[in-house]
Amino acid sequence: MRLLIFFIILVLSITLPNNQNLNILLNKLENYYTSNQINQFKLTMDLIKEIAIENNQNEKVIEFLKQKILNQGYKNPFLTEQLGDTIFDLGDYELAEKLYSETTKYLNPSSKISSSILSRLFFKISQINLLQGQIQDYINNLNKSYLYEIDPENKINLKTQIIKDQITYLKNDPTKIINQIKELIEKSNTLPNEKKEKIYISLVEIYSNLNMEDEARKIVENILPQFNTSSSIITQYQFAKDKEKQKQLLERLVKEYPKIDPYYIEQLANLYYEENNIDKAKELYIHVITAIPTKYHLLYKLAKISLEQKNLYDAKKYIDLALKQTGNPEFFELAGDIYQGIDKNKAIEFYQKAYELYNDIKDKAKIRQKISNIQN
C-alpha cells in the first residue's frame, strides 16, 4: 500500500506542471499530518521540498506549513522534527529552531531512544545558533546534545567539539578546559584503537590552540606512533622539527598511502631537492604535476632541473607549459636561459618580456646583461 501511494505521488510529480503538482502534494501532506500517517508524510514532504527548491517556491511552502499544518498543533515528535528539517532546508532557521525546541518537550529522557533523539535535536539547534552567530547558545545546546547522547563514541566526539569551540569562540579559562581534556582522555581509553586515534589527534589540535606545545608533543611522540594511519603520520610530520625525521615520515606516507594528497608528495620532493637528490625530486615533481597540471610553480622547478641537467628538450617542454598559466617575469627569464641553447632570437624575446615585467632595477640590469651577452 505504501509503495502504491509513493508511486502515485511520483507519477503526479512527473506528469503535472510544477505549481499544480505542488498544490496537490501540499493538500495530501495536510491529510497525512491530520491522520498521523508518518511514512506517507515523510515521502510527500521530501518531494515538496525538492519541487519548492527547484522552482523557487520556498516561501509558498513555508506559509502553507504555518497555516495548514502547524496550526493543528504538534501531533507527533517525529513529524515535528521532519517539519523542522524541511523548513531548515527551505531557509527559515528561526521557525526550524522553534520546531526542534518544541519537539524536545514531548520526549522522555529516561528512554534511551528518546534520549538519543533529544541529543540529535539539541545538536540541530546548536547548528542554527552557530549560523546565527549566537555562540553562547551554540555551546549551551551542544552541551545538552552531549548530555543526552547515549553512544560512547558520539559522546566523546561531541565533548571534543565542545572543548575545541570553547577555545575558538569563548576563550574560556584554560584550567577548566584542561580538566575537561583529562576527563576526555579517561573516557577515550574505553574505545577501540581506530576510534581512539581521532580523539588524540583532536587533543593535539586543542593543546596547540592553547599554546601548550609540550603537551601536544607528548601525544605526538609517545602515543600517535602506535596508530598506523595516514592521519597519525601526517600529524607526526607536522610536529617533526628535524628534516631527516620529516623525510622519513613523508617517505612512509607516500609508500604506504599512494593516493595521499599530492601536497605531501611535493613536500617530500622539496626535501630531496634541498639535499641535492635531484633524480628523486624530479620523479616526484612529475608525479604531482601529472595529478595537478595547474601547479605551474612545479613546472618551473622541472624546467630549471632539466636545464641544470642540460636536457633542453624537457626544459623547453616544461617552461612552455608554465608560461601558458602565468606571466611571472622569473618564468620568462628562465625561458630565455633555456632558449639560448635552442633559438637565440626567441631567447631575446623572452628576456625582453621579463625586462618589461620586472620592477626592481637590479633585476632589469641583470636581464639587460643577458641580452647583451647574446648579442655580442
Side-chain angles (χ1 to χ4, degrees):
M1 185 64 183
R2 291 174 186 169
L3 286 174
L4 178 59
I5 292 170
F6 179 69
F7 178 73
I8 292 170
I9 293 172
L10 187 60
V11 169
L12 284 171
S13 69
I14 294 171
T15 57
L16 292 175
N18 282 326
N19 284 337
Q20 186 180 351
N21 177 44
L22 184 59
N23 291 332
I24 292 172
L25 290 174
L26 288 171
N27 290 330
K28 285 185 175 295
L29 187 75
E30 183 180 3
N31 293 332
Y32 294 146
Y33 189 75
T34 303
S35 56
N36 208 34
Q37 298 181 62
I38 297 175
N39 289 333
Q40 291 90 331
F41 179 87
K42 285 186 173 183
L43 288 170
T44 309
M45 190 76 264
D46 287 340
L47 283 169
I48 288 171
K49 180 177 69 176
E50 184 179 334
I51 293 171
I53 292 173
E54 285 181 358
N55 296 278
N56 199 25
Q57 296 287 322
N58 295 20
E59 291 183 7
K60 175 182 177 179
V61 172
I62 290 172
E63 194 57 36
F64 177 90
L65 294 176
K66 286 178 181 177
Q67 293 181 6
K68 300 292 186 179
I69 304 293
L70 299 182
N71 279 346
Q72 295 186 37
Y74 304 102
K75 294 179 174 293
N76 182 301
F78 296 101
L79 295 184
T80 308
E81 182 183 5
Q82 173 80 4
L83 278 167
D85 291 345
T86 299
I87 289 170
F88 177 88
D89 290 337
L90 293 176
D92 192 332
Y93 298 150
E94 289 184 10
L95 181 55
E97 181 182 359
K98 180 183 176 183
L99 288 168
Y100 293 143
S101 298
E102 193 65 33
T103 307
T104 63
K105 298 176 184 177
Y106 296 88
L107 295 166
N108 180 2
S110 61
S111 158
K112 285 188 176 181
I113 294 176
S114 293
S115 186
S116 181
I117 296 171
L118 279 167
S119 176
R120 184 173 71 232
L121 288 167
F122 280 116
F123 182 82
K124 289 177 179 180
I125 293 170
S126 76
Q127 301 310 295
I128 293 174
N129 296 148
L130 186 60
L131 283 170
Q132 295 176 326
Q134 301 163 341
I135 301 304
Q136 188 60 64
D137 289 340
Y138 162 69
I139 296 293
N140 290 343
N141 283 308
L142 206 56
N143 270 307
K144 289 179 183 177
S145 179
Y146 167 77
L147 177 67
Y148 290 115
E149 181 56 63
I150 60 173
D151 180 80
E153 183 186 352
N154 290 343
K155 201 170 183 72
I156 290 171
N157 288 335
L158 279 168
K159 191 63 177 179
T160 305
Q161 190 63 49
I162 290 166
I163 294 171
K164 288 166 72 173
D165 289 342
Q166 282 177 328
I167 298 167
T168 303
Y169 298 118
L170 299 183
K171 313 296 182 187
N172 281 8
D173 179 4
T175 306
K176 292 181 181 178
I177 292 174
I178 290 166
N179 289 333
Q180 292 179 40
I181 292 172
K182 289 178 180 177
E183 177 190 339
L184 184 62
I185 291 172
E186 288 177 7
K187 289 183 177 179
S188 69
N189 287 332
T190 62
L191 295 176
N193 271 356
E194 65 271 14
K195 306 232 175 117
K196 199 184 298 183
E197 179 216 16
K198 293 179 182 178
I199 304 301
Y200 279 116
I201 289 175
S202 292
L203 287 174
V204 169
E205 181 184 345
I206 290 168
Y207 278 129
S208 296
N209 288 339
L210 288 171
N211 294 319
M212 299 175 66
E213 292 296 321
D214 290 343
E215 294 299 321
R217 194 168 292 282
K218 284 179 186 176
I219 295 175
V220 170
E221 294 178 354
N222 300 327
I223 297 177
L224 291 188
Q226 67 182 284
F227 303 113
N228 188 26
T229 67
S230 59
S231 299
S232 174
I233 297 171
I234 288 169
T235 306
Q236 292 174 68
Y237 159 72
Q238 290 168 340
F239 273 78
K241 293 181 178 179
D242 178 71
K243 288 196 174 182
E244 186 59 32
K245 180 66 174 176
Q246 290 177 355
K247 187 178 76 170
Q248 290 172 4
L249 288 164
L250 287 172
E251 285 176 334
R252 182 180 165 199
L253 191 64
V254 170
K255 180 180 179 182
E256 295 180 12
Y257 301 93
K259 294 183 179 179
I260 196 68
D261 187 333
Y263 167 83
Y264 298 105
I265 301 174
E266 183 180 343
Q267 299 312 303
L268 179 57
N270 289 340
L271 289 174
Y272 284 143
Y273 187 80
E274 287 176 17
E275 65 182 25
N276 207 32
N277 193 339
I278 303 301
D279 289 337
K280 279 191 174 182
K282 185 176 181 180
E283 180 185 347
L284 292 180
Y285 285 142
I286 291 172
H287 180 92
V288 175
I289 205 67
T290 302
I292 312 177
T294 54
K295 281 186 169 281
Y296 55 80
H297 67 282
L298 292 189
L299 288 168
Y300 176 89
K301 281 188 175 181
L302 284 167
K304 192 172 181 180
I305 289 171
S306 298
L307 178 60
E308 290 168 355
Q309 294 177 330
K310 302 189 186 306
N311 184 342
L312 294 181
Y313 175 82
D314 280 353
K316 176 182 178 299
K317 176 180 68 176
Y318 293 127
I319 200 63
D320 286 349
L321 287 170
L323 287 173
K324 289 180 180 179
Q325 301 181 48
T326 181
N328 188 311
E330 291 183 17
F331 286 57
F332 283 105
E333 181 182 355
L334 180 59
D337 295 343
I338 292 167
Y339 271 81
Q340 277 199 54
I342 302 170
D343 182 337
K344 293 190 183 299
N345 289 331
K346 191 72 174 174
I348 291 173
E349 288 180 21
F350 283 124
Y351 283 140
Q352 287 173 336
K353 186 66 176 176
Y355 181 87
E356 292 171 9
L357 293 170
Y358 272 132
N359 292 318
D360 189 270
I361 294 175
K362 290 182 180 179
D363 288 328
K364 287 182 175 291
K366 177 179 61 173
I367 297 299
R368 289 303 306 163
Q369 185 61 51
K370 288 187 176 184
I371 294 173
S372 178
N373 289 342
I374 294 176
Q375 292 173 334
N376 294 332

